[in-house]
Amino acid sequence: MDFGAWPPLRGDLASTRRCASAFFDNLPSDEGRAGTVRQNWVATWTKTGDAYYRLADLNINKLAFDEAKEAWLCALTAFEVARRLVADDDAGKAGVSAKVEAGVQRFGTALGYQVESVEITCFDGAELQAYYLPAASTGLSAPAVICVSSEEEKGATLLGRLLPVVIGRGMSVLVVSHADVLNHSRGRPAALLSHCFDYLSARPEVDISRIGVYGDALSATLATDFAVYDRRVAAAVCDGGILNWVRTSTSVGWITGIADGPAKDWISACRSRSARQLNCPILVVAGGRGVVSVSEAVKLQADCMAAYIHLDLAMPQIIRGGFGEEVENFVTADDCVFRWLKNKLTRARAP
């Protein structure tokens, strides 16, 4: 496949996301040409994002706002592809992330969408910075999701990735960064996220009975602790207590190497007990650069099934590119997560 000809500039979000997904699915593993090809891919997708921004501006000038919205979301998708390809130690990564953050700010201003920068009062009057996107107005209250970024990302970066996914799904999102949650929580991140829940509860367009949480990467652990702490959470994309369990089991030396008999039963019971504390539907995302390994997630799901606890498991497709790093197909992964959330939060509608 000739990646140098990608992607076509159509201004159609569905086509752009299919193109991005296919690009990741077909990454070659030729180590010999990885460096140059990788740089070319980054340049191609970055230029494509810039072109989509220009197309959006042209459509705005023509008052073709729907077409402008599509082009803007295409740009954010293209920039996210480029950001995934840039090496973590590459100075260019910050530049691509800055394009995403600038795009988030301009998106709301130019197209009339209410992407709001909000402050949530937490402990002792401290303010937590967050981004809020309300669901499209239908006159009815809609579900909402609190989204916590990975430990390496700003809230605006996560919002830029999620805007093409959540717009049109009939849900509001409140996005906060992992670092801000930890820095403002005074050792109580679950309690701070409860303040985020209270903020959403006060919004007239939000259905208080249908508020979920999504924790990206290491924030999956924060999502678990929050869902255990606050019984109002209606659905959680989290780690199901796996990280805390692994830490605990590792510290208990006598467990190591014991796989049979009463100890095995005790281990299984402890795993399922962590999930049982969650009072809502659970989705665990396993594999790749996330916090949950596939093996631990499969064990947890099996233990939960034995204990009649329903736990869904998602394993995003991970591609090992020729540059020796694992790359996640974020397009299919994010679609899977938010399809699941929409399904669970729709079912959670209060009678």
Side-chain angles (χ1 to χ4, degrees):
M1 184 174 290
D2 181 11
F3 291 101
W6 279 30
L9 194 68
R10 297 174 181 169
D12 171 26
L13 180 60
S15 296
T16 300
R17 291 184 70 79
R18 283 196 300 269
C19 181
S21 180
F23 170 80
F24 283 119
D25 289 346
N26 291 278
L27 275 177
S29 57
D30 185 353
E31 295 281 357
R33 63 192 187 103
T36 301
V37 171
R38 182 178 188 174
Q39 293 174 0
N40 290 341
W41 289 339
V42 172
T44 296
W45 283 97
T46 301
K47 290 177 181 177
T48 300
D50 289 334
Y52 275 129
Y53 274 168
R54 291 193 294 271
L55 179 60
D57 288 339
L58 288 173
N59 284 322
I60 289 172
N61 291 336
K62 293 188 296 183
L63 304 182
F65 296 113
D66 288 341
E67 291 82 356
K69 179 195 71 174
E70 286 278 301
W72 215 280
L73 296 175
C74 288
L76 291 173
T77 299
F79 286 135
E80 182 62 25
V81 175
R83 204 178 67 83
R84 296 279 168 143
L85 295 171
V86 179
D88 290 337
D89 59 354
D90 190 321
K93 195 176 189 74
V96 178
S97 296
K99 287 178 178 290
V100 173
E101 293 167 21
V104 168
Q105 298 290 349
R106 290 185 62 196
F107 180 81
T109 302
L111 302 180
Y113 281 80
Q114 300 174 11
V115 181
E116 304 173 25
S117 180
V118 301
E119 295 182 344
I120 298 171
T121 303
C122 41
F123 306 109
D124 298 333
E127 300 288 346
L128 174 70
Q129 301 295 319
Y131 288 95
Y132 177 67
L133 175 73
S137 178
T138 62
L140 300 173
S141 58
V145 182
I146 300 168
C147 303
V148 189
S149 76
S150 70
E151 61 277 18
E152 301 171 348
E153 291 182 343
K154 297 179 181 178
T157 307
L158 176 60
L159 179 59
R161 190 184 100 208
L162 296 184
L163 275 173
V165 186
V166 300
I167 286 182
R169 288 193 187 266
M171 61 174 62
S172 302
V173 293
L174 180 72
V175 179
V176 295
S177 79
H178 177 96
D180 285 347
V181 170
L182 293 188
N183 291 339
H184 290 81
S185 67
R186 301 195 174 187
R188 296 186 294 159
L192 186 146
L193 290 174
S194 238
H195 286 289
C196 294
F197 194 108
D198 294 338
Y199 171 85
L200 288 175
S201 300
R203 303 284 308 209
E205 68 275 8
V206 172
D207 183 343
I208 187 175
S209 69
R210 295 190 289 158
I211 299 176
V213 62
Y214 163 51
D216 193 23
L218 189 58
S219 293
T221 302
L222 299 181
T224 298
D225 294 341
F226 170 49
V228 171
Y229 175 86
D230 196 324
R231 311 296 279 181
R232 298 175 296 175
V233 175
V237 181
C238 61
D239 79 336
I242 286 179
L243 184 59
N244 288 334
W245 156 247
V246 170
R247 287 170 175 168
T248 300
S249 63
T250 301
S251 67
V252 181
W254 64 270
I255 294 178
T256 306
I258 300 176
D260 299 313
K264 181 178 179 181
D265 295 338
W266 181 81
I267 292 170
S268 295
C270 287
R271 283 199 195 96
S272 59
R273 187 180 303 120
S274 297
R276 193 185 295 277
Q277 294 180 64
L278 292 152
N279 190 41
C280 64
I282 311 163
L283 175 66
V284 173
V285 181
R289 302 177 72 176
V291 68
V292 179
S293 70
V294 172
S295 61
E296 285 294 336
V298 170
K299 291 175 186 175
L300 176 63
Q301 187 180 45
D303 292 336
C304 287
M305 289 178 64
Y308 301 101
I309 302 170
H310 184 74
L311 179 145
D312 291 315
L313 185 60
M315 290 182 282
Q317 183 173 1
I318 306 298
I319 302 94
R320 192 168 187 81
F323 37 88
E325 296 178 8
E326 290 184 336
V327 180
E328 178 185 276
N329 187 334
F330 74 91
V331 177
T332 57
D334 290 343
D335 285 344
C336 173
V337 165
F338 280 87
R339 275 199 312 270
W340 183 89
L341 281 165
K342 182 174 178 62
N343 178 268
K344 297 304 179 183
L345 294 176
T346 298
R347 293 182 182 181
R349 183 190 297 274

